[in-house]
Amino acid sequence: MSYCPASSSSSSSTKAWIVHGILAGAAAVAVAIGARSYRGRSRKFRSRVIGIIPARYASSRFEGKPLVNILGKPMIQRTWERSKLATTLDHVVVATDDERIAKCCDEFGAAVIMTSESCRNGAERCSEALEKLGKEYDIVVNIQGDEPLVEPEIIDGIVMALQAAPDAVFSTAVTSLKPEDAFDPNRVKCVVDNRGYAIYFSRGLIPFNKSGKVNMQFPYMLHLGIQSYDAKFLKIYPQLEPTPLQLEEDLEQLKVLENGFKMKVIKVNHEAHGVDTPEDVGKIESFMRERNLS
Amino acid sequence: MTPKSVCTTSSDHAPFVMSTKSWILHGVATAAALAVGAHAYFFYRRSVTVFRSRVVGIIPARFASSRFEGKPLVEILGKPMIQRTWERAKLASTLDRVVVATDDEKIAECCRGFGAEVIMTAESCRNGAERCSEALQKLEKKYDIVVNIQGDEPLIEPEIIDGIVKALQTTPNAVFSTAVTSLKPEDAFDPNRVKCVVDNRGYAIYFSRGLIPFNKSGKVNSEFPYNLHLGIQSYDSKFLKIYPDLTPTPLQLEEDLEQLKVLENGYKMKVIKVDHDAHGVDTPEDVAKIENFMRERNLS
């Protein structure tokens, strides 16, 4: 017996036509809805974005750093206020391991997530905070708490880079390297390909050249600490085994490249004013007074 | 009451006589499906097991040189260098064919003398890859992989040639493959020795004349297995057609490293690690060095 036995009765074949017609129509409608919702979602790819400011209390060089006052306002508050100006962020939270920092943040109205003291770096702290947040996000921006003059445009820039590059799981920013920093291993250099994907990061000068000297005409790139991650990638990133180049250079971001993931890099104009030591506080306050910033 | 099935039956539905047509239809449909399936199976199987199967080795050999004119013809223990390279290349099992691509009649004549195939190419070729690309076009057969065998490494191991060919055959998404060996610590800061870093699946990340990976101390780490890039390379032939004409890229120009053009254009490159003492002949002095090396090891 075949599946749909042919029948000489015309009323049966009419019924069969009707049934087949309805099934086909339903299938077509389902496909159309599915296609539209897929397209609709891809028009708003990676649309839910959160900024997280990891802020730990302990530090070998500068304990309690997030709370240090810069022209009368705690550094963490300055970073938070700047982040709130970024248009691509749906929310901004501070992820900390210390009650004193949490209390300070409460006072100026920042959302706080408590995370463990054992987080080894900002990415790990962001990952833990992401888990604790009730909501789902597509992109997490890791905003360094010790760059109180971060430009909101840079945050928006790296978010948009990740939204426009579905094959990348990580995005970050670079600025111009000053020639005097070429041979400073504390300044991380970066090289990219012709579509803005990171090729390599190094504490050595890259690109190098035959002479071994810095080329005053070449637009070397200095890597900035801000980074954003695809949320699914962030879940696994801290647990990935450290990789050989990462360990030798002591550069966390190399783990991304060594594992074959793609990273987008945007170029910005940014004078880095990181606060690493108590001396840096004086420097940044002078800088701000000169420019009438408060 | 029995529920109606999708295909409503009627109590007087016709038996097999009427369903012969549908049997035939179903039979034809099934046969068509089987044909498509078989075709797909065999096609897929062929492309998986014998992917990029046709391989040619090309030895670019030009006469002119700033440092060493006529270099391919220099004799090493009584035999022209180009002949030594060619004989070694012929031992590589993955090569279907080996040809010398030259721009000079003296080299061509010498090669024909020892039985090598020769393709004449333009003097204007700027580098080995361009010469290989021109030679490939002049070959009457089609090839999937082209191996660019440096004419000035007369002690090239056939296994290295086979290694880079197989790397490219097993990596469909790569268009280029090459080899590295251990970098000696004393070469760490020599810009003439090109260093290479790779990812955890053997894809090239970057090449540099500077030391990579670097570290906080700025000194060479005697414990770290740095990679020295060797000149041998192989290309997917479709890629080779466009490679020489790609516009030079910023990192390529600054480092003066042709292979960076591949990475900067977003192509993937496979890297194999080998044990190889490089014995390139760049200057007349290198001839004596390599002859000593060969005498010591009883090579002829």
Side-chain angles (χ1 to χ4, degrees), chain B residues 9-24:
Chain B
T9 57
S10 112
S11 55
D12 57 5
H13 72 263
F16 289 101
V17 171
M18 271 314 204
S19 55
T20 306
K21 245 190 221 164
S22 57
W23 275 116
I24 292 172

Side-chain angles (χ1 to χ4, degrees), chain B residues 53-285:
Chain B
S53 53
R54 302 164 299 187
V55 187
V56 63
I58 302 182
I59 310 170
R62 64 178 179 138
F63 192 85
S65 169
S66 41
R67 282 184 293 181
F68 198 166
E69 213 186 46
K71 191 169 72 163
L73 299 177
V74 74
E75 294 208 344
I76 313 251
L77 291 182
K79 200 184 266 186
M81 183 162 76
I82 185 79
Q83 182 173 357
R84 292 192 172 276
T85 306
W86 179 85
E87 286 175 352
R88 287 260 176 161
K90 291 290 277 179
L91 295 173
S93 54
T94 54
L95 299 181
D96 297 321
R97 189 171 173 189
V98 180
V99 303
V100 174
T102 186
D103 58 357
D104 186 275
E105 258 310 315
K106 296 182 279 293
I107 296 176
E109 224 190 285
C110 171
C111 290
R112 287 183 208 117
F114 58 79
E117 247 196 279
V118 177
I119 302 275
M120 293 307 292
T121 48
E123 264 178 66
S124 58
C125 286
R126 293 162 295 178
N127 54 49
E130 210 173 304
R131 198 172 297 280
C132 284
S133 190
E134 191 186 317
L136 175 69
Q137 280 184 56
K138 294 187 162 181
L139 292 169
E140 73 295 347
K141 280 196 173 156
K142 284 196 164 334
Y143 292 93
D144 305 306
I145 290 178
V146 175
V147 186
N148 177 349
I149 301 161
Q150 287 177 290
D152 54 14
E153 277 262 1
L155 299 180
I156 183 72
E157 285 98 324
E159 295 73 33
I160 296 183
I161 295 174
D162 290 337
I164 63 170
V165 168
K166 288 183 194 153
L168 211 44
Q169 288 174 327
T170 51
T171 317
N173 67 0
V175 296
F176 191 114
S177 68
T178 187
V180 295
T181 189
S182 299
L183 177 79
K184 299 187 186 123
E186 59 264 31
D187 289 336
F189 297 106
D190 179 355
N192 291 316
R193 297 273 182 250
V194 179
K195 295 83 180 171
C196 174
V197 288
V198 301
D199 76 10
N200 65 2
R201 288 170 307 157
Y203 290 95
I205 285 177
Y206 190 54
F207 295 84
S208 183
R209 295 182 181 276
L211 182 62
I212 50 172
F214 213 71
N215 57 54
K216 276 182 166 155
S217 78
K219 296 188 178 51
V220 65
N221 178 353
S222 307
E223 305 303 303
F224 192 88
Y226 302 98
N227 293 323
L228 170 71
H229 184 218
L230 300 174
I232 192 156
Q233 45 201 254
S234 81
Y235 326 95
D236 173 278
S237 60
K238 293 190 282 296
F239 172 74
L240 180 59
K241 289 190 173 81
I242 60 133
Y243 174 46
D245 302 311
L246 292 173
T247 311
T249 42
L251 303 175
Q252 169 202 354
L253 291 170
E254 179 64 16
E255 294 256 13
D256 192 14
L257 292 176
E258 186 72 21
Q259 58 272 39
L260 289 177
K261 193 166 70 163
V262 180
L263 300 179
E264 287 181 88
N265 276 283
Y267 290 101
K268 292 174 97 103
M269 188 190 295
K270 226 26 181 30
V271 178
I272 65 168
K273 185 139 192 200
V274 300
D275 280 318
H276 175 76
D277 239 7
H279 296 281
V281 175
D282 289 317
T283 60
E285 293 71 44

Side-chain angles (χ1 to χ4, degrees), chain B residues 286-298:
Chain B
D286 292 335
V287 176
K289 280 189 211 165
I290 202 177
E291 287 188 326
N292 287 338
F293 176 86
M294 290 172 72
R295 276 191 207 99
E296 277 164 29
R297 281 158 192 71
N298 256 335

